[in-house]
Every structure is written in C-alpha cells, then in structure tokens.
C-alpha cells in the first residue's frame, strides 16, 4: 500500500477507534475493542488493507487480537477521547521520559505543565528520537521536553505503559519538566 494511502487509512482507523466510533456506526466495548469483521465493513476496507495499516504503522497504534473462539477484534493502543478501560497496570517508569511538542506550545506548558486535554492520559516517549517524531505532527519547530519521571513516581504520580510502549500519566506538573538535551 502506498504511504499516503496508509496514512489516510491510519487516520480513519484512529478516528473510528479512538475518537468517533459512532460516526462509523461502531460500538466499542468497555475495553475499546470492536469485532474485526464489523470494523472492516464500517470502514469499507479489505482485510489486506487492515493488515497493512496495522503492520505498517510506525507507532503500532492498533492491536488485533484473536479470541479463544477464533473471532478477532481490534482496538487502538491508547489515545482515546471516548471512554474506554484499557486495563493498564501502573508500572515504575524509567528515570526520564520525553515529550515532543511545538515551540508555539512551550509558553503554555511552562506555565501549567502537560495536561491530557480531551484524552485519557498525557503521552510520553522513552527516548528523545521518538518524542521528536511525535512532535513533528505539530506545525513549526519541534521542542523535546525531559520529564523527571523518577521524581514524579516518588511523589505518587502513576505511570502506565501501553502495548506499543507509550508511557502514560494523568498530568506532568511544571516542576518535573526540563529542556531535553
């Protein structure tokens, strides 16, 4: 599948699985899962297109799972703005995590910290390169911030790690943010 088509399909899949399942006449279960056959019909795509989009997504945004009865289901790894329970268990984070954003957002972040906005969590990366790639989604100059995750954990903040390796937390107060190297 050509890259631009895969990007468009990935965005439609994210919309259906993370933000607006009703727009596609889909109903996510409590954990955010939907039957693969229902998903294919709703998005009017083939299984080959789905498999290509899941396998080719550099951020591994989607998970396909085979159930004991042979049925398959799909969900987004994280980033939902609709209510779902991902079943994540709190984990000890690495000492530092990173957040990529635009330079235009920096003043607001320095004033109030990182907040989840309409999503369930703030998304953090385990390395600077990934954070930089995430930050490129925003217009303008990319800025990478270092999060003192060890200090946050000592202060009682909880961290979760999604299936695709993204670290999640409810918010990052300003005192735990620093400019990345």
């Amino acid at each position: 599948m050509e890259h631009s088509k895969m990007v468009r399909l990935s965005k439609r899949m994210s919309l259906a699985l993370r933000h607006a399942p009703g727009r596609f006449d889909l109903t996510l279960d409590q954990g955010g899962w939907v039957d693969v056959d229902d998903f294919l019909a709703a998005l009017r795509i083939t299984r080959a297109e789905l498999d290509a989009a899941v396998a080719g997504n550099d951020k591994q945004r989607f998970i396909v799972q085979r159930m004991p009865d042979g049925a398959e289901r799909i969900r987004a790894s994280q980033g939902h703005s609709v209510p779902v329970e991902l079943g994540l268990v709190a984990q000890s984070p690495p000492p530092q995590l990173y957040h990529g954003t635009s330079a235009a957002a920096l003043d607001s972040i320095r004033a109030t910290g990182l907040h989840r906005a309409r999503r369930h969590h703030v998304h953090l990366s385990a390395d600077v390169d990934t954070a930089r790639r995430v930050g490129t989604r925003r217009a303008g100059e990319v800025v990478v911030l270092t999060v003192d995750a060890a200090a946050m954990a000592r202060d009682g903040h909880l961290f979760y790690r999604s299936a695709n390796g993204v670290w999640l937390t409810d918010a990052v107060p300003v005192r735990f943010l620093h400019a990345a190297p």
Side-chain angles (χ1 to χ4, degrees):
M1 180 184 311
E2 89 177 48
H3 180 71
S4 63
K5 184 176 180 180
M6 188 170 320
V7 169
R8 283 192 307 274
L9 177 54
S10 177
K11 286 182 179 185
R12 281 183 58 224
M13 290 171 59
S14 288
L15 183 62
L17 294 171
R18 295 166 66 180
H19 307 296
R23 192 181 293 180
F24 297 87
D25 291 324
L26 291 170
T27 301
L28 306 180
D29 74 7
Q30 181 179 334
W33 296 100
V34 67
D35 181 82
V36 166
D37 290 335
D38 293 343
F39 187 73
L40 295 173
L43 270 69
R44 298 184 183 123
I45 60 173
T46 67
R47 181 58 193 251
E49 289 170 319
L50 174 72
D51 290 343
V54 170
N57 191 282
D58 62 339
K59 295 178 186 159
Q60 299 176 334
R61 285 189 174 105
F62 313 105
I63 303 166
V64 175
Q65 183 181 70
R66 182 174 297 277
M67 303 304 293
D69 65 2
E72 289 183 299
R73 59 189 190 164
I74 185 170
R75 81 170 181 190
S77 297
Q78 85 284 320
H80 299 80
S81 60
V82 296
V84 296
E85 177 51 57
L86 296 177
L88 300 173
V89 176
Q91 297 183 25
S92 295
Q96 294 181 331
L97 291 168
Y98 304 92
H99 182 79
T101 191
S102 69
L106 203 50
D107 287 342
S108 174
I109 292 170
R110 284 185 174 143
T112 65
L114 293 172
H115 302 279
R116 60 190 179 113
R118 294 182 309 268
R119 295 192 178 174
H120 290 249
H121 297 97
V122 172
H123 296 192
L124 303 171
S125 303
D127 60 84
V128 172
D129 290 338
T130 301
R132 192 173 316 286
R133 276 195 313 275
V134 170
T136 60
R137 293 188 329 232
R138 313 278 188 255
E141 179 187 355
V142 175
V143 175
V144 176
L145 300 170
T146 300
V147 175
D148 188 347
M152 282 182 65
R154 281 192 303 275
D155 279 5
H157 294 268
L158 298 178
F159 289 85
Y160 308 91
R161 191 164 186 233
S162 66
N164 63 345
V166 174
W167 284 92
L168 308 169
T169 193
D170 289 335
V172 180
V174 174
R175 69 183 179 276
F176 299 110
L177 291 168
H178 313 283

